[in-house]
Amino acid sequence: MGADNNKEQLLRILAVDDSKLMRKAVARILKGVNDVVEAEHGEDAWDMLQQDETIKIVCCDLSMPVMDGFGFLERVRNSDDERIREMPVIIVTGQEDSEENRNKIFEAGASDFVSKPFDSAQLRASIKTHTRLEKTASELRRKTTEYLEKTSEFETLAAVD
């Protein structure tokens, strides 16, 4: 029971790459403080995001079969589901690391960019940064919802008086 309880407290990250070796490398680097689940391409990742509400961050390659990273980003950023649309997506790619390519990646909606072969400290730092941002955004959404509920409650009470 202790291991299951511990897994529930870990941040769930989705690693998307057609290379099993790269997915395992991401999982190995992030293990301990994160629960890493894997997808082979963007279509699998999209299905997982829709089914698993515990996924908080995505690390995604650009060059993959079936659906590449750009197609995946487009689906995520155009999702009707706010949780998916606002999810941090970190692109981890070996494509040319030019300023033009980085701009294209960010214009497509990436939250961050890590070059392959990646530095494990850089990947961990990016995950940590986006974890903090996600927790802050989640807390802000919760407080906003509470505020709106209280406001509605007060308006109802005022109307009754």
Side-chain angles (χ1 to χ4, degrees), residues 102-154:
R102 285 191 302 269
N103 287 337
K104 187 177 175 185
I105 289 166
F106 286 121
E107 285 171 11
S111 306
D112 207 346
F113 175 90
V114 177
S115 297
K116 288 181 192 175
F118 50 82
D119 176 334
S120 58
Q122 182 185 12
L123 182 60
R124 276 194 221 95
S126 182
I127 293 292
K128 189 174 186 178
T129 297
H130 290 286
T131 298
R132 286 182 182 152
L133 287 172
E134 196 281 328
K135 285 181 180 176
T136 300
S138 180
E139 181 66 13
L140 181 59
R141 283 189 297 272
R142 186 184 66 75
K143 295 239 182 224
T144 300
T145 300
E146 285 177 8
Y147 171 77
L148 292 173
E149 288 171 355
K150 288 289 183 193
T151 301
S152 177
E153 219 175 278
F154 290 139

Side-chain angles (χ1 to χ4, degrees), residues 72-113:
F72 176 73
L73 272 170
E74 183 178 346
R75 273 206 193 161
V76 167
R77 296 303 177 230
N78 291 314
S79 174
D80 291 335
D81 184 336
E82 182 183 12
R83 175 189 66 84
I84 293 173
R85 190 176 55 250
E86 298 298 323
M87 185 168 298
V89 178
I90 301 167
I91 295 297
V92 181
T93 186
Q95 289 194 356
E96 307 154 39
D97 191 10
S98 69
E99 185 174 345
E100 182 181 338
N101 282 340
R102 285 191 302 269
N103 287 337
K104 187 177 175 185
I105 289 166
F106 286 121
E107 285 171 11
S111 306
D112 207 346
F113 175 90

Side-chain angles (χ1 to χ4, degrees), residues 31-44:
K31 76 177 180 183
V33 293
N34 303 289
D35 175 29
V36 180
V37 292
E38 302 173 22
E40 194 172 333
H41 51 73
E43 194 67 49
D44 284 346

